[in-house]
Amino acid sequence: MGQIRKARGWVGVLVVVSWWSVMPVALAQERGSERVLQVTGQGVITLPAQLAEVEVGVEIRGNNANQVQMEIAQRLDKIISTLRQKSAEKLTTTGVQLFPIYGERQQLLGFTGRNTVRFQLPISQTGAVLDQLVSQGANQINRLSFVATESALEQGRIQALQAAVQDAQKQAQIVLQALQLTPKEVVGVTILGSSTPIPRSFALAEVRASTPILGGDQTVQAQVKLEIRY
């Protein structure tokens, strides 16, 4: 009887070890039998720009710091008043600077002050408004770029995502048809992101306020990854 109990105990150990060693292999085979194709689609939408984003400034040099600041403030008051009358959007101060100027022997020669503001206007109005701002004391045009409106950009993001999905589906269809395979349902969707590239900025030398300013286009991009069972 002692021998029989030992044999049974030995057989029981074999059964337990065999069950734990076989189970993961069966799960791996079951998961491996699901065939999934991963494709990444890209959508690019081009939008016409309706707004010009401009940064203008006033720079003054003088012997007295207070006088420099006062003259800058007077000019900027006129500039800001004009921009508000023209219903400029996103009007904001982007820089306030005042620093001393020294000579070769570190003697104080004077002060330079610079204040800048940024705003958005319809492209059709920009040239005439810049002319007016220059006549009111603006002596710097630091940046000019062209952008679409927020509502147009939001609609563009939606269209770019739709185009990215269609692109991914088209790629999957081409690949599976070439392999004589049949696509089934989509089992996974990942939005990899959507972006609006920064509009190109023009330097002062490229801007001619007396000439009509013509805007360009702005693009919106999106990427989507699909997992399609076949």
Side-chain angles (χ1 to χ4, degrees):
M1 291 296 291
Q3 291 180 350
I4 294 175
R5 281 196 297 268
K6 289 181 181 179
R8 287 180 180 175
W10 178 71
V11 171
V13 171
L14 281 180
V15 171
V16 172
V17 172
S18 177
W19 183 82
W20 280 107
S21 61
V22 171
M23 190 62 181
V25 177
L27 288 173
Q29 290 174 349
E30 185 178 15
R31 291 174 182 174
S33 65
E34 184 181 58
R35 300 181 298 181
V36 175
L37 174 65
Q38 294 184 353
V39 287
T40 300
Q42 182 169 353
V44 179
I45 301 297
T46 301
L47 304 172
Q50 296 99 356
L51 300 173
E53 186 172 271
V54 190
E55 184 178 85
V56 301
V58 176
E59 181 173 324
I60 299 294
R61 178 173 175 174
N63 296 326
N64 183 279
N66 289 332
Q67 291 177 346
V68 168
Q69 282 293 80
M70 286 179 61
E71 185 171 352
I72 291 175
Q74 290 173 357
R75 294 192 188 186
L76 273 181
D77 283 344
K78 296 178 181 179
I79 290 170
I80 292 173
S81 177
T82 296
L83 291 172
R84 286 175 174 165
Q85 290 175 6
K86 301 297 182 180
S87 299
E89 299 179 0
K90 296 187 177 181
L91 178 58
T92 182
T93 299
T94 55
V96 177
Q97 295 178 311
L98 179 66
F99 49 89
I101 303 170
Y102 294 101
E104 294 180 357
R105 297 182 180 181
Q106 294 300 308
Q107 73 272 28
L108 181 64
L109 300 179
F111 296 86
T112 296
R114 183 187 302 117
N115 288 19
T116 55
V117 294
R118 186 181 303 164
F119 58 91
Q120 289 184 353
L121 276 175
I123 294 173
S124 59
Q125 300 178 21
T126 302
V129 171
L130 286 179
D131 279 341
Q132 188 173 354
L133 298 183
V134 170
S135 69
Q136 292 175 338
N139 53 15
Q140 290 186 336
I141 304 175
N142 299 326
R143 184 169 64 180
L144 171 65
S145 58
F146 302 109
V147 298
T149 62
E150 290 296 333
S151 58
L153 287 173
E154 182 60 29
Q155 186 62 31
R157 293 186 188 99
I158 295 173
Q159 295 175 355
L161 284 171
Q162 292 172 339
V165 171
Q166 294 171 1
D167 180 46
Q169 290 176 324
K170 183 178 180 180
Q171 291 183 58
Q173 185 178 10
I174 292 173
V175 171
L176 293 176
Q177 283 183 350
L179 296 173
Q180 297 183 347
L181 298 171
T182 303
K184 296 181 180 179
E185 72 272 12
V186 176
V187 296
V189 180
T190 304
I191 299 176
L192 300 178
S194 61
S195 62
T196 305
I198 299 175
R200 178 192 173 194
S201 295
F202 296 87
L204 175 60
E206 298 177 75
V207 177
R208 299 292 182 270
S210 59
T211 303
I213 294 176
L214 304 177
D217 296 324
Q218 190 171 13
T219 59
V220 180
Q221 302 175 357
Q223 282 189 328
V224 173
K225 183 176 74 173
L226 298 184
E227 297 178 9
I228 301 174
R229 192 165 65 87
Y230 63 91

